[in-house]
Amino acid sequence: MRLGWDLHDDGKNVREGAIVKPGERLSWPRTIGFGGQHVVAMFGATFLVPLLTGFPPTTTLFFSGLGTLLFLLITRNRLPSYLGSSFAFIAPIGAAMGGGGMGSALFGILVTGALLALVGVIVMVTGTGWIEALMPPVVTGAIVALIGLNLASAATNNVVGGDPANPDNGAVLVAAITLATVLVVAVAFRGLIARLSILVGVVVGYLAALVMGQIDTSAFQEAAWFGLPDFSTPTVSWSVVPMFLPVVLVLVAENVGHVRSVAHLAGDDTINRETGRALFADGLATTIAGGFGGSATTTYGENIGVMTATRVFSTAAYWVAGVVAILLSLSPKFGALLNTIPAGVLGGITVALYGLIGLIGIRIWLDNRVDFADPVNQFTAAVALVIGIGNLTLTFGDLTFTGIALGTIAAVVIYHGMSALAKVRGRRPGSEPAARGGRR
C-alpha cells in the first residue's frame, strides 16, 4: 500500500478534460479545501441519522471519520470514499430502540457489520458474480425502495410535532418552510449549493423555528466546547437481529455500486478489484461503531457528486475529511447544538429524504431497464413493496420480523422461486395448451 501521492501537474490547476487521480493530489492548501467540501457534502445526511434515531451526533461523527480512515487503509488508498451514516438502518434502529433500548440497537448494528465484513472476505475470494445472481436489479430496487417508503409514517409524525392525534401547527409551519427551502434550492441553484439543499433546508428551518420560539438552547449554552464523544456498548439481544439482516443486502448493493461508479468516473477499471476490500472495510467500520455507540456507516453518493463536479478523485482529500470529522466530534457543544433541531425541521427534511431513498430503488429499475411486463418482475416488486410500506410485522418466539425484513425476504424468494418455475415451464415444450388456431 502506498500512502503518498504524486503531485498533479503543478499542484494548482486541473487542465480541462483532465482528472486528479486517486493516487495524485493538488497542493496541500487546495487538498484541504477539497477535503472541506467533502465534509460539507456528507454532513447534512450524516448528522441527520443520529437525530432521527436518538443516537449521540458527535459519537456518530467520530466513527464516521474513523471509519473513513480505516476504509482508505483497507482499500490500499486506491478507492476515494467517505463513510457516512447509513439511512438503511433508521427503521430497524427505531424498532430496536423501542423494544430494548440503545444497547439492543447497537447489537443489531454490530452483527450487521460483522456479516458485511464476512461478505467482503467471500467476495475477495470468489468475486461479485454470486451477488449479481442473488440480487438482480428488480430485487435490489425493491429492497431499496421499500426501506425508504417504510419510513413514511415516521416522516409525517415529525411534521405534526410527534403526535398525529394532536398536530402542532407551529411544527407544521416550520416543516413547510424547511421543505419549501429544500425544493427551491434544489432547482434554483447549481453545483455544490444544489447538492447541499438538505443542509440549507435545515439551516433555514432552524432559524424559522428559533424566531418562533420553538427551540430551547439551554443545553447548548451549558455544554463544554471540548470533550470526548459519549461512548456506549451493545447489549446482546438476538431478537432484534432479523430486523437488521436485510440491511446487509442494501449495504452490499451500495458498496458495489459505489466502487463501479468511481472506477468508471476515474477511468480506472482496476479500482473494481477493491470491491471485496470495500465491503470488508465498511463492515469493519460498522462493527466498530456498533461496538462503541455510533451509527452504522456506508459509502456516500453525495461525495461522488463532489468528485464528479470537481474532477478531483484524490484520496488525500478524504484523509482530510476523515480527520476533520473526528475533530468536529470532539466538541460536546457542537453535538448539543444539533440536538436542539426541532421535530418540524426534521419532518420537512424527512418527507423529502425518505421519498428520495424510495426513488433510488425505482431509479435502479429504470437504469437497468427492468421489464415490468414480465410477471416475475411484477410480483417481486409488488409484493415486497406492499409488505414493506405496510410494515407487516410477525413474531416467532423471541424473534420479530418487521416489514423491511419480510419485504426483503419476499423479494428474494419470489424472484428466484418464480424464475425457477418459469425455467421449468420453458423446458417442457408441449406442456402448454396450444394457442387457439395455432400449432401444437
Side-chain angles (χ1 to χ4, degrees):
M1 179 184 66
R2 180 170 177 265
L3 281 180
W5 297 270
D6 296 325
L7 192 65
H8 179 83
D9 287 346
D10 61 358
K12 298 178 181 179
N13 301 293
V14 181
R15 289 177 285 103
E16 184 176 354
I19 66 171
V20 179
K21 298 179 180 179
E24 299 178 329
R25 66 168 177 84
L26 298 175
S27 65
W28 279 114
R30 288 171 174 77
T31 296
I32 291 171
F34 283 111
Q37 285 190 77
H38 284 299
V39 171
V40 173
M42 68 82 184
F43 189 77
T46 293
F47 86 81
L48 268 180
V49 173
L51 292 181
L52 296 171
T53 58
F55 277 36
T58 53
T59 310
T60 291
L61 197 58
F62 176 84
F63 285 108
S64 170
L66 178 63
T68 297
L69 302 185
L70 283 173
F71 186 93
L72 293 170
L73 283 172
I74 293 171
T75 58
R76 299 179 287 189
N77 210 33
R78 299 192 64 226
L79 180 57
S81 179
Y82 190 89
L83 293 190
S85 303
S86 172
F87 280 85
F89 283 83
I90 292 176
I93 286 176
M97 292 276 279
M102 185 173 177
S104 295
L106 290 174
F107 183 72
I109 292 173
L110 186 149
V111 172
T112 302
L115 289 174
L116 180 61
L118 177 61
V119 171
V121 173
I122 295 173
V123 169
M124 280 190 272
V125 175
T126 65
T128 60
W130 65 274
I131 294 176
E132 296 164 0
L134 177 67
M135 296 190 302
V138 65
V139 173
T140 305
I143 294 171
V144 174
L146 70 86
I147 283 178
L149 299 179
N150 174 269
L151 294 164
S153 60
T156 54
N157 285 347
N158 277 324
V159 169
V160 297
D163 185 2
N166 298 290
D168 181 340
N169 292 333
V172 173
L173 178 58
V174 168
I177 293 172
T178 303
L179 179 58
T181 301
V182 172
L183 302 181
V184 170
V185 171
V187 297
F189 295 90
R190 294 182 179 179
L192 185 60
I193 295 297
R195 293 192 183 94
L196 297 177
S197 59
I198 296 291
L199 185 58
V200 175
V202 169
V203 173
V204 173
Y206 186 91
L207 293 175
L210 190 63
V211 170
M212 296 168 63
Q214 297 183 13
I215 297 176
D216 179 6
T217 61
S218 58
F220 167 74
Q221 295 170 357
E222 295 170 1
W225 279 103
F226 302 103
L228 292 174
D230 296 323
F231 296 114
S232 304
T233 54
T235 301
V236 176
S237 179
W238 292 105
S239 63
V240 305
V241 171
M243 307 177 195
F244 287 84
L245 291 180
V247 180
V248 176
L249 300 180
V250 177
L251 295 179
V252 168
E254 287 179 342
N255 275 275
V256 171
H258 181 95
V259 175
R260 289 179 177 174
S261 296
V262 173
H264 172 72
L265 292 168
D268 184 1
D269 287 340
T270 64
I271 290 177
N272 286 316
R273 299 172 188 169
E274 304 300 316
T275 299
R277 289 177 174 269
L279 291 165
F280 176 78
D282 190 12
L284 179 61
T286 295
T287 302
I288 293 173
F292 296 97
S295 294
T297 62
T298 189
T299 50
Y300 257 28
E302 289 89 337
N303 297 91
I304 289 183
V306 173
M307 290 189 291
T308 303
T310 62
R311 310 283 288 173
V312 176
F313 293 83
S314 173
T315 55
Y318 283 95
W319 281 93
V320 171
V323 171
V324 170
I326 292 174
L327 293 176
L328 285 175
S329 73
L330 300 178
S331 174
K333 189 173 285 290
F334 178 68
L337 175 64
L338 296 180
N339 278 325
T340 63
I341 297 176
V345 174
L346 296 178
I349 292 299
T350 52
V351 164
L353 201 58
Y354 294 163
L356 287 175
I357 295 172
L359 287 178
I360 290 172
I362 296 173
R363 181 175 176 178
I364 290 173
W365 293 336
L366 294 175
D367 289 347
N368 291 277
R369 300 180 181 179
V370 174
D371 180 13
F372 280 108
D374 184 345
V376 174
N377 294 334
Q378 288 176 356
F379 286 106
T380 296
V383 175
L385 285 178
V386 169
I387 292 174
I389 296 171
N391 199 30
L392 175 65
T393 302
L394 300 175
T395 300
F396 301 94
D398 294 331
L399 301 179
T400 299
F401 295 81
T402 62
I404 290 179
L406 294 173
T408 297
I409 293 170
V412 174
V413 171
I414 291 173
Y415 175 81
H416 289 286
M418 291 187 70
S419 295
L421 288 174
K423 288 179 180 178
V424 170
R425 178 174 176 266
R427 291 171 182 169
R428 294 174 59 192
S431 61
E432 300 176 58
R436 185 174 298 173
R439 296 179 300 171
R440 288 189 180 276

